[in-house]
Amino acid sequence: MLKALDSVDFASLQYSLEYAAKNSPFYREKFMKDNINVDKIRSKEDFQNVPFSDKHDLHKVYPLGLQAVPDEDVVRVHSSSGTTGNPVIIPYTKEDVEDWGIMFARCYEMAGITKRDRLQITPGYGLWTAGIGFQAGCEKLGAMAIPIGPGNTEKQLKIMVDLQSTVLCATSSYALLLAEEVKKRGLRDKINLQRGIIGSERWGDLMRKRISDELEIELFDIYGLTEIYGPGIGIDCEKHEGIHYWDDFFYFEVIDPDSGKVLPEGEFGELVITTLKKAAAPLIRYRTHDLTRIIPHKCSCKRPYPLIDRIIGRTDDMIKVKGVNIYPGQIEDALSRTKGLSSEYQVILENIDGKDKMTLKVEVQDRADKDQVIAEILHTFKSKIGIRIFCQCVEIGELPRSEKKSKRVYDHRYK
Ligand code: ZN
């Protein structure tokens, strides 16, 4: 079940591996330490023995330990936000910058954007990769960039009206904020927005629907991370069946985050990316900590690029019950299939006589049939996730809310 790799020319993967081993001080040392002889990696099975790289490893070689080309070939650096300690600095050659622009322009085309569009770019400009990536792709495509950057809602709305922006590039939370302001001020008839290119955070269907309803626009999920160029390494098309990714630039694998084993297509796990063309900072089997799956069939749009599913969470959010990995996105999906529930839930994990027990608390509307709700949820978990759970109904508003991310999982198993 390694069809994704079959579609990638193994030679390009091998080239990337040899390139990294030869030129990147980071990989040279890593492969030596782990006793990896790249000349012996002759097949896709062999490739699965190549060790992963992680953000943690990249921190250790701050500032420029990833640089695999001479200084004179580096034209730019970006950095990912360092939540603790040093950030990760990613250098780019002229070709890397060019390639990123090509990928980003491809994203825009995939979303139906043309030269006649006007893109209001609200992600930030600076050391991190967001704004400048949106800008480069826009110029490559030949559309009009409005590089306004984040914040200053007054100015955003004025520009949106005066310049008749047709595309909003934003994070989901900022798009929602602008959508609410547009509604509050009754500006919908004065603006000309048609599409939203939304990236950088995981966002649920509820939020998606609110943004698209209030602004009356079609939304596209753009994917990417600073360590791998930045945003623009994939996006959904007008069919919205998943996120197309550029398999001429990357090799994607999905692994079990616990065991590190490559999972068959269709199964959810952690996305691992190998760059095929990146010169200044190649990455081999880089663990993204993003949870998704490779969709095992082609998109109905018939484009050649393969699909991954929407990002359903981060590995840190994953829970393991009775040997089954469960992700918050799967629980939210199960809840959204059942009528009469709020979006709030709580998971209680216990160990009773050596066996895991998972209880899901959900908020049920007064008029809903509670027995019916419980039966539906148990069935969804059994059939979709493959696990038997217990379900408990509480009144709407009974589960705690918090301004920050609510704590939803209470694991009492190992105490
Ligand atoms: Zn498609």
Short mmCIF file of all heavy atoms in Angstrom, two decimals, residues 193-244:
data_model
loop_
_atom_site.label_atom_id
_atom_site.label_comp_id
_atom_site.label_asym_id
_atom_site.label_seq_id
_atom_site.Cartn_x
_atom_site.Cartn_y
_atom_site.Cartn_z
N LEU A 193 -15.84 40.87 -2.63
CA LEU A 193 -15.09 39.64 -2.34
C LEU A 193 -15.78 38.43 -2.95
O LEU A 193 -17.00 38.32 -2.87
CB LEU A 193 -14.98 39.41 -0.83
CG LEU A 193 -13.94 40.15 -0.02
CD1 LEU A 193 -13.94 39.61 1.40
CD2 LEU A 193 -12.56 40.04 -0.63
N GLN A 194 -14.97 37.54 -3.52
CA GLN A 194 -15.53 36.30 -4.07
C GLN A 194 -14.90 35.04 -3.50
O GLN A 194 -15.51 34.00 -3.46
CB GLN A 194 -15.36 36.31 -5.60
CG GLN A 194 -16.41 37.19 -6.27
CD GLN A 194 -15.86 37.95 -7.46
OE1 GLN A 194 -14.94 37.46 -8.12
NE2 GLN A 194 -16.39 39.12 -7.73
N ARG A 195 -13.65 35.18 -3.07
CA ARG A 195 -12.94 34.01 -2.57
C ARG A 195 -12.13 34.34 -1.33
O ARG A 195 -11.69 35.47 -1.16
CB ARG A 195 -11.98 33.47 -3.63
CG ARG A 195 -12.68 32.87 -4.82
CD ARG A 195 -11.65 32.41 -5.86
NE ARG A 195 -12.32 31.67 -6.90
CZ ARG A 195 -12.97 32.24 -7.91
NH1 ARG A 195 -13.04 33.55 -8.02
NH2 ARG A 195 -13.57 31.49 -8.81
N GLY A 196 -11.92 33.31 -0.52
CA GLY A 196 -11.03 33.45 0.63
C GLY A 196 -9.97 32.36 0.59
O GLY A 196 -10.29 31.20 0.34
N ILE A 197 -8.71 32.75 0.75
CA ILE A 197 -7.61 31.77 0.84
C ILE A 197 -7.20 31.77 2.30
O ILE A 197 -6.63 32.74 2.81
CB ILE A 197 -6.42 32.17 -0.05
CG1 ILE A 197 -6.87 32.40 -1.50
CG2 ILE A 197 -5.32 31.11 0.01
CD1 ILE A 197 -7.40 31.18 -2.21
N ILE A 198 -7.54 30.68 2.98
CA ILE A 198 -7.43 30.67 4.43
C ILE A 198 -6.39 29.65 4.87
O ILE A 198 -6.42 28.50 4.46
CB ILE A 198 -8.80 30.29 5.07
CG1 ILE A 198 -9.94 31.16 4.48
CG2 ILE A 198 -8.74 30.39 6.59
CD1 ILE A 198 -9.85 32.62 4.79
N GLY A 199 -5.47 30.10 5.71
CA GLY A 199 -4.40 29.19 6.12
C GLY A 199 -3.99 29.34 7.56
O GLY A 199 -4.49 30.22 8.26
N SER A 200 -3.11 28.49 7.96
CA SER A 200 -2.32 28.57 9.20
C SER A 200 -2.98 28.04 10.48
O SER A 200 -2.29 27.85 11.46
CB SER A 200 -1.80 29.98 9.48
OG SER A 200 -2.73 30.73 10.23
N GLU A 201 -4.25 27.80 10.50
CA GLU A 201 -4.81 27.22 11.72
C GLU A 201 -5.78 26.11 11.33
O GLU A 201 -6.34 26.13 10.26
CB GLU A 201 -5.63 28.26 12.50
CG GLU A 201 -4.88 29.50 12.87
CD GLU A 201 -5.81 30.67 13.14
OE1 GLU A 201 -6.72 30.92 12.33
OE2 GLU A 201 -5.64 31.32 14.16
N ARG A 202 -6.00 25.21 12.26
CA ARG A 202 -7.04 24.22 12.06
C ARG A 202 -8.38 24.91 12.35
O ARG A 202 -8.49 25.66 13.30
CB ARG A 202 -6.85 23.07 13.04
CG ARG A 202 -7.75 21.89 12.78
CD ARG A 202 -7.27 20.71 13.60
NE ARG A 202 -7.61 20.87 15.01
CZ ARG A 202 -8.79 20.57 15.52
NH1 ARG A 202 -9.74 20.09 14.76
NH2 ARG A 202 -9.02 20.75 16.80
N TRP A 203 -9.36 24.68 11.50
CA TRP A 203 -10.64 25.34 11.73
C TRP A 203 -11.77 24.39 11.38
O TRP A 203 -11.69 23.62 10.44
CB TRP A 203 -10.74 26.66 10.95
CG TRP A 203 -10.35 26.58 9.50
CD1 TRP A 203 -9.26 25.93 8.97
CD2 TRP A 203 -11.01 27.17 8.40
NE1 TRP A 203 -9.22 26.11 7.62
CE2 TRP A 203 -10.27 26.86 7.23
CE3 TRP A 203 -12.17 27.96 8.27
CZ2 TRP A 203 -10.65 27.30 5.97
CZ3 TRP A 203 -12.53 28.39 7.01
CH2 TRP A 203 -11.79 28.05 5.88
N GLY A 204 -12.82 24.46 12.17
CA GLY A 204 -13.91 23.50 12.01
C GLY A 204 -14.94 23.96 10.98
O GLY A 204 -14.89 25.07 10.46
N ASP A 205 -15.88 23.05 10.69
CA ASP A 205 -16.93 23.34 9.72
C ASP A 205 -17.81 24.52 10.14
O ASP A 205 -18.30 25.27 9.31
CB ASP A 205 -17.82 22.11 9.53
CG ASP A 205 -17.18 21.14 8.56
OD1 ASP A 205 -16.44 21.60 7.68
OD2 ASP A 205 -17.41 19.92 8.71
N LEU A 206 -18.00 24.64 11.45
CA LEU A 206 -18.87 25.70 11.95
C LEU A 206 -18.30 27.07 11.59
O LEU A 206 -18.99 27.96 11.10
CB LEU A 206 -18.98 25.56 13.47
CG LEU A 206 -20.28 26.02 14.09
CD1 LEU A 206 -21.43 25.14 13.60
CD2 LEU A 206 -20.18 25.95 15.62
N MET A 207 -17.02 27.23 11.82
CA MET A 207 -16.33 28.49 11.53
C MET A 207 -16.30 28.75 10.02
O MET A 207 -16.55 29.86 9.55
CB MET A 207 -14.91 28.41 12.06
CG MET A 207 -14.18 29.71 12.08
SD MET A 207 -12.79 29.48 13.17
CE MET A 207 -12.10 31.10 13.28
N ARG A 208 -15.99 27.69 9.27
CA ARG A 208 -15.97 27.76 7.82
C ARG A 208 -17.30 28.29 7.30
O ARG A 208 -17.36 29.18 6.46
CB ARG A 208 -15.77 26.33 7.32
CG ARG A 208 -15.33 26.13 5.92
CD ARG A 208 -15.11 24.63 5.72
NE ARG A 208 -14.04 24.11 6.57
CZ ARG A 208 -12.77 24.06 6.17
NH1 ARG A 208 -12.43 24.44 4.98
NH2 ARG A 208 -11.85 23.60 6.98
N LYS A 209 -18.39 27.74 7.85
CA LYS A 209 -19.72 28.10 7.37
C LYS A 209 -20.03 29.56 7.72
O LYS A 209 -20.59 30.29 6.91
CB LYS A 209 -20.75 27.17 8.01
CG LYS A 209 -22.10 27.23 7.32
CD LYS A 209 -23.00 26.12 7.79
CE LYS A 209 -24.48 26.34 7.51
NZ LYS A 209 -24.87 27.49 6.73
N ARG A 210 -19.62 29.96 8.92
CA ARG A 210 -19.91 31.35 9.32
C ARG A 210 -19.18 32.34 8.41
O ARG A 210 -19.77 33.33 7.97
CB ARG A 210 -19.51 31.58 10.78
CG ARG A 210 -20.66 31.20 11.72
CD ARG A 210 -20.26 31.37 13.15
NE ARG A 210 -20.11 32.77 13.53
CZ ARG A 210 -19.48 33.14 14.65
NH1 ARG A 210 -18.95 32.26 15.45
NH2 ARG A 210 -19.39 34.42 14.95
N ILE A 211 -17.91 32.08 8.13
CA ILE A 211 -17.15 33.01 7.28
C ILE A 211 -17.77 33.04 5.87
O ILE A 211 -18.01 34.12 5.31
CB ILE A 211 -15.66 32.60 7.18
CG1 ILE A 211 -15.01 32.63 8.55
CG2 ILE A 211 -14.91 33.52 6.22
CD1 ILE A 211 -13.63 31.99 8.61
N SER A 212 -18.04 31.87 5.32
CA SER A 212 -18.53 31.85 3.93
C SER A 212 -19.95 32.41 3.84
O SER A 212 -20.30 33.06 2.87
CB SER A 212 -18.42 30.46 3.32
OG SER A 212 -19.35 29.60 3.90
N ASP A 213 -20.77 32.19 4.87
CA ASP A 213 -22.14 32.73 4.85
C ASP A 213 -22.14 34.25 4.97
O ASP A 213 -22.83 34.95 4.24
CB ASP A 213 -22.98 32.14 6.00
CG ASP A 213 -23.40 30.71 5.68
OD1 ASP A 213 -23.08 30.24 4.57
OD2 ASP A 213 -24.04 30.08 6.54
N GLU A 214 -21.37 34.76 5.92
CA GLU A 214 -21.41 36.21 6.17
C GLU A 214 -20.79 36.99 5.02
O GLU A 214 -21.25 38.07 4.68
CB GLU A 214 -20.69 36.56 7.47
CG GLU A 214 -21.07 35.63 8.60
CD GLU A 214 -21.75 36.30 9.77
OE1 GLU A 214 -21.20 37.29 10.24
OE2 GLU A 214 -22.81 35.81 10.19
N LEU A 215 -19.72 36.44 4.43
CA LEU A 215 -19.07 37.18 3.36
C LEU A 215 -19.56 36.75 1.97
O LEU A 215 -19.24 37.38 0.97
CB LEU A 215 -17.55 36.99 3.42
CG LEU A 215 -16.82 37.69 4.58
CD1 LEU A 215 -15.35 37.30 4.61
CD2 LEU A 215 -16.95 39.22 4.49
N GLU A 216 -20.34 35.67 1.93
CA GLU A 216 -20.81 35.09 0.67
C GLU A 216 -19.65 34.83 -0.28
O GLU A 216 -19.64 35.27 -1.44
CB GLU A 216 -21.85 36.00 0.02
CG GLU A 216 -23.13 36.14 0.86
CD GLU A 216 -24.02 37.27 0.34
OE1 GLU A 216 -24.21 37.35 -0.88
OE2 GLU A 216 -24.49 38.06 1.18
N ILE A 217 -18.65 34.10 0.23
CA ILE A 217 -17.48 33.79 -0.60
C ILE A 217 -17.18 32.30 -0.52
O ILE A 217 -17.64 31.62 0.39
CB ILE A 217 -16.21 34.58 -0.16
CG1 ILE A 217 -15.85 34.29 1.31
CG2 ILE A 217 -16.41 36.06 -0.39
CD1 ILE A 217 -14.55 34.92 1.76
N GLU A 218 -16.41 31.82 -1.49
CA GLU A 218 -15.97 30.43 -1.48
C GLU A 218 -14.60 30.36 -0.79
O GLU A 218 -13.72 31.17 -1.08
CB GLU A 218 -15.86 29.91 -2.92
CG GLU A 218 -15.54 28.43 -2.99
CD GLU A 218 -15.55 27.89 -4.43
OE1 GLU A 218 -15.75 28.68 -5.38
OE2 GLU A 218 -15.34 26.67 -4.58
N LEU A 219 -14.45 29.39 0.09
CA LEU A 219 -13.22 29.32 0.89
C LEU A 219 -12.31 28.18 0.44
O LEU A 219 -12.79 27.11 0.09
CB LEU A 219 -13.57 29.13 2.37
CG LEU A 219 -14.39 30.25 2.99
CD1 LEU A 219 -14.81 29.86 4.40
CD2 LEU A 219 -13.61 31.55 3.01
N PHE A 220 -11.01 28.44 0.48
CA PHE A 220 -10.01 27.43 0.12
C PHE A 220 -9.00 27.32 1.25
O PHE A 220 -8.52 28.32 1.77
CB PHE A 220 -9.31 27.84 -1.18
CG PHE A 220 -10.25 27.87 -2.36
CD1 PHE A 220 -11.00 29.01 -2.62
CD2 PHE A 220 -10.42 26.76 -3.16
CE1 PHE A 220 -11.90 29.05 -3.69
CE2 PHE A 220 -11.31 26.78 -4.23
CZ PHE A 220 -12.05 27.92 -4.49
N ASP A 221 -8.68 26.07 1.60
CA ASP A 221 -7.72 25.77 2.66
C ASP A 221 -6.33 25.71 2.08
O ASP A 221 -6.02 24.79 1.32
CB ASP A 221 -8.00 24.33 3.15
CG ASP A 221 -8.72 24.31 4.47
OD1 ASP A 221 -8.33 25.07 5.35
OD2 ASP A 221 -9.66 23.51 4.58
N ILE A 222 -5.46 26.62 2.46
CA ILE A 222 -4.09 26.53 1.96
C ILE A 222 -3.23 25.91 3.05
O ILE A 222 -3.43 26.16 4.23
CB ILE A 222 -3.58 27.90 1.49
CG1 ILE A 222 -2.31 27.75 0.66
CG2 ILE A 222 -3.34 28.85 2.65
CD1 ILE A 222 -2.04 28.93 -0.25
N TYR A 223 -2.28 25.05 2.65
CA TYR A 223 -1.45 24.36 3.63
C TYR A 223 0.03 24.69 3.43
O TYR A 223 0.45 24.97 2.31
CB TYR A 223 -1.67 22.84 3.54
CG TYR A 223 -0.83 22.08 4.53
CD1 TYR A 223 -1.06 22.22 5.90
CD2 TYR A 223 0.21 21.24 4.13
CE1 TYR A 223 -0.29 21.56 6.83
CE2 TYR A 223 0.99 20.57 5.06
CZ TYR A 223 0.74 20.74 6.40
OH TYR A 223 1.52 20.09 7.32
N GLY A 224 0.76 24.62 4.50
CA GLY A 224 2.21 24.81 4.40
C GLY A 224 2.80 25.06 5.77
O GLY A 224 2.07 25.25 6.74
N LEU A 225 4.13 25.00 5.84
CA LEU A 225 4.81 25.32 7.09
C LEU A 225 6.16 25.93 6.77
O LEU A 225 6.75 25.63 5.73
CB LEU A 225 4.94 24.10 8.01
CG LEU A 225 5.56 22.81 7.52
CD1 LEU A 225 5.89 21.93 8.71
CD2 LEU A 225 4.59 22.06 6.62
N THR A 226 6.61 26.82 7.65
CA THR A 226 7.82 27.59 7.37
C THR A 226 9.02 26.71 7.07
O THR A 226 9.81 27.02 6.18
CB THR A 226 8.14 28.49 8.58
OG1 THR A 226 7.06 29.38 8.73
CG2 THR A 226 9.41 29.29 8.35
N GLU A 227 9.14 25.60 7.77
CA GLU A 227 10.30 24.74 7.57
C GLU A 227 10.35 24.21 6.12
O GLU A 227 11.41 23.88 5.61
CB GLU A 227 10.28 23.56 8.54
CG GLU A 227 10.38 23.96 10.01
CD GLU A 227 9.04 24.29 10.63
OE1 GLU A 227 8.12 24.73 9.91
OE2 GLU A 227 8.89 24.12 11.85
N ILE A 228 9.17 24.10 5.49
CA ILE A 228 9.08 23.60 4.12
C ILE A 228 8.56 24.75 3.24
O ILE A 228 7.37 24.81 2.96
CB ILE A 228 8.11 22.40 4.03
CG1 ILE A 228 8.29 21.45 5.22
CG2 ILE A 228 8.19 21.73 2.67
CD1 ILE A 228 9.02 20.19 5.00
N TYR A 229 9.36 25.67 2.88
CA TYR A 229 9.01 26.87 2.09
C TYR A 229 8.10 27.84 2.85
O TYR A 229 8.41 29.01 3.00
CB TYR A 229 8.32 26.51 0.76
CG TYR A 229 9.17 25.73 -0.21
CD1 TYR A 229 9.09 24.36 -0.26
CD2 TYR A 229 10.07 26.38 -1.07
CE1 TYR A 229 9.89 23.62 -1.15
CE2 TYR A 229 10.85 25.65 -1.96
CZ TYR A 229 10.75 24.27 -1.99
OH TYR A 229 11.52 23.56 -2.87
N GLY A 230 6.94 27.38 3.32
CA GLY A 230 5.94 28.26 3.92
C GLY A 230 4.58 27.84 3.42
O GLY A 230 4.43 26.75 2.87
N PRO A 231 3.54 28.70 3.56
CA PRO A 231 2.23 28.32 3.02
C PRO A 231 2.34 28.16 1.50
O PRO A 231 3.20 28.77 0.87
CB PRO A 231 1.33 29.50 3.40
CG PRO A 231 2.24 30.63 3.69
CD PRO A 231 3.53 30.02 4.17
N GLY A 232 1.46 27.33 0.94
CA GLY A 232 1.46 27.20 -0.52
C GLY A 232 1.92 25.85 -1.03
O GLY A 232 2.04 25.65 -2.23
N ILE A 233 2.15 24.89 -0.13
CA ILE A 233 2.58 23.58 -0.62
C ILE A 233 1.39 22.68 -0.93
O ILE A 233 1.56 21.55 -1.38
CB ILE A 233 3.59 22.91 0.32
CG1 ILE A 233 2.97 22.48 1.65
CG2 ILE A 233 4.76 23.85 0.60
CD1 ILE A 233 3.96 21.74 2.55
N GLY A 234 0.18 23.20 -0.70
CA GLY A 234 -1.02 22.48 -1.08
C GLY A 234 -2.27 23.33 -0.84
O GLY A 234 -2.23 24.28 -0.05
N ILE A 235 -3.35 22.99 -1.53
CA ILE A 235 -4.62 23.73 -1.37
C ILE A 235 -5.75 22.87 -1.92
O ILE A 235 -5.51 21.97 -2.73
CB ILE A 235 -4.57 25.08 -2.12
CG1 ILE A 235 -5.71 26.02 -1.70
CG2 ILE A 235 -4.59 24.87 -3.64
CD1 ILE A 235 -5.58 27.44 -2.21
N ASP A 236 -6.98 23.12 -1.48
CA ASP A 236 -8.09 22.38 -2.07
C ASP A 236 -8.55 23.06 -3.37
O ASP A 236 -8.26 24.23 -3.61
CB ASP A 236 -9.27 22.17 -1.10
CG ASP A 236 -9.78 23.44 -0.46
OD1 ASP A 236 -9.08 24.45 -0.51
OD2 ASP A 236 -10.90 23.41 0.09
N CYS A 237 -9.23 22.30 -4.21
CA CYS A 237 -9.72 22.86 -5.48
C CYS A 237 -11.21 23.14 -5.34
O CYS A 237 -11.76 23.02 -4.26
CB CYS A 237 -9.46 21.88 -6.62
SG CYS A 237 -10.48 20.40 -6.48
N GLU A 238 -11.86 23.46 -6.45
CA GLU A 238 -13.27 23.82 -6.40
C GLU A 238 -14.17 22.65 -5.98
O GLU A 238 -15.32 22.86 -5.59
CB GLU A 238 -13.72 24.41 -7.75
CG GLU A 238 -13.86 23.41 -8.90
CD GLU A 238 -12.52 22.96 -9.51
OE1 GLU A 238 -11.48 23.47 -9.08
OE2 GLU A 238 -12.55 22.09 -10.41
N LYS A 239 -13.65 21.44 -6.01
CA LYS A 239 -14.44 20.27 -5.58
C LYS A 239 -14.41 20.09 -4.06
O LYS A 239 -15.24 19.38 -3.49
CB LYS A 239 -13.92 18.99 -6.24
CG LYS A 239 -13.91 19.02 -7.75
CD LYS A 239 -15.31 18.87 -8.30
CE LYS A 239 -15.27 18.79 -9.81
NZ LYS A 239 -16.62 18.83 -10.40
N HIS A 240 -13.42 20.66 -3.42
CA HIS A 240 -13.27 20.59 -1.96
C HIS A 240 -13.32 19.17 -1.42
O HIS A 240 -14.00 18.88 -0.44
CB HIS A 240 -14.33 21.47 -1.27
CG HIS A 240 -14.31 22.88 -1.74
ND1 HIS A 240 -13.28 23.76 -1.45
CD2 HIS A 240 -15.17 23.57 -2.54
CE1 HIS A 240 -13.52 24.93 -2.03
NE2 HIS A 240 -14.66 24.84 -2.69
N GLU A 241 -12.58 18.28 -2.07
CA GLU A 241 -12.57 16.88 -1.62
C GLU A 241 -11.32 16.55 -0.80
O GLU A 241 -11.14 15.42 -0.35
CB GLU A 241 -12.64 15.95 -2.85
CG GLU A 241 -13.99 16.02 -3.55
CD GLU A 241 -14.01 15.30 -4.90
OE1 GLU A 241 -13.06 14.54 -5.19
OE2 GLU A 241 -14.98 15.50 -5.64
N GLY A 242 -10.46 17.52 -0.63
CA GLY A 242 -9.21 17.32 0.10
C GLY A 242 -8.23 18.38 -0.37
O GLY A 242 -8.58 19.24 -1.17
N ILE A 243 -7.00 18.30 0.14
CA ILE A 243 -5.99 19.29 -0.24
C ILE A 243 -5.03 18.66 -1.25
O ILE A 243 -4.39 17.66 -0.95
CB ILE A 243 -5.23 19.77 1.02
CG1 ILE A 243 -6.21 20.50 1.94
CG2 ILE A 243 -4.05 20.65 0.64
CD1 ILE A 243 -5.62 20.91 3.27
N HIS A 244 -4.98 19.24 -2.45
CA HIS A 244 -4.01 18.79 -3.44
C HIS A 244 -2.63 19.21 -2.98
O HIS A 244 -2.44 20.34 -2.53
CB HIS A 244 -4.26 19.48 -4.79
CG HIS A 244 -5.45 18.95 -5.52
ND1 HIS A 244 -5.42 17.78 -6.21
CD2 HIS A 244 -6.70 19.45 -5.68
CE1 HIS A 244 -6.61 17.57 -6.79
NE2 HIS A 244 -7.41 18.57 -6.47
#
